[in-house]
Amino acid sequence: MSDTAIPSVLFVCVHNAGRSQMAAAFLTHFAGDRVQVRSAGSAPADTVNPAVVEAMAEAGIDISAEVPKVLTVEAVQASDVVITMGCGDTCPVFPGKRYLDWELPDPAGQGVDAVRPIREEIEKRIRGLVDEIAPVS
């Protein structure tokens, strides 16, 4: 299979420290090399939210080495599907891309107890996305 046949997904939130990091990690975990995964933020934080790292560790996924990345036009152009999570109008829009907006609470400043339900909702949405764009053949 050529690289062009592999769907690519970009997850975007403001700080790239919570929701988009969880979504990217779940998609990588469930789809493996069947999907190219990116995440970015319109105003990236310095580090990933520690409560998000802890919540993902509870789900068996280690994101402790991840770092927030800045959203670039190139990342959007290189993606087939762009999933925004509260980045509003700061996300560039290009014709021919599929855009989804997932309204999810922002885990910024929240403890792990508040992050768990957000993690569960993201996992549910990612499972559905995998079934749609990268089903196991």
Side-chain angles (χ1 to χ4, degrees):
M1 176 182 285
S2 70
D3 286 346
T4 57
I6 298 172
S8 58
V9 178
L10 170 64
F11 296 100
V12 183
C13 66
V14 175
H15 301 297
N16 190 222
R19 297 166 289 190
S20 56
Q21 290 284 352
M22 287 190 282
F26 274 126
L27 184 54
T28 299
H29 180 74
F30 293 131
D33 60 3
R34 298 191 321 272
V35 177
Q36 186 176 51
V37 181
R38 298 177 181 87
S39 72
S42 53
D46 293 328
T47 61
V48 174
N49 179 331
V52 167
V53 173
E54 183 180 343
M56 291 303 288
E58 290 174 357
I61 300 173
D62 180 8
I63 63 168
S64 62
E66 295 297 325
V67 294
K69 295 165 279 309
V70 69
L71 176 64
T72 65
V73 168
E74 293 78 18
V76 177
Q77 288 176 323
S79 301
D80 300 311
V81 180
V82 179
I83 300 176
T84 59
M85 304 171 177
C87 77
D89 295 336
T90 61
C91 214
V93 176
F94 293 97
K97 304 293 176 190
R98 179 176 173 202
Y99 290 87
L100 300 172
D101 184 41
W102 289 358
E103 289 191 29
L104 297 160
D106 188 348
Q110 304 291 321
V112 71
D113 288 340
V115 173
R116 285 184 190 113
I118 301 168
R119 177 197 66 201
E120 298 302 319
E121 179 61 24
I122 290 171
E123 180 180 3
K124 182 177 93 176
R125 292 181 189 205
I126 292 298
R127 286 181 183 276
L129 182 67
V130 169
D131 289 345
E132 178 186 338
I133 68 169
V136 177
S137 36

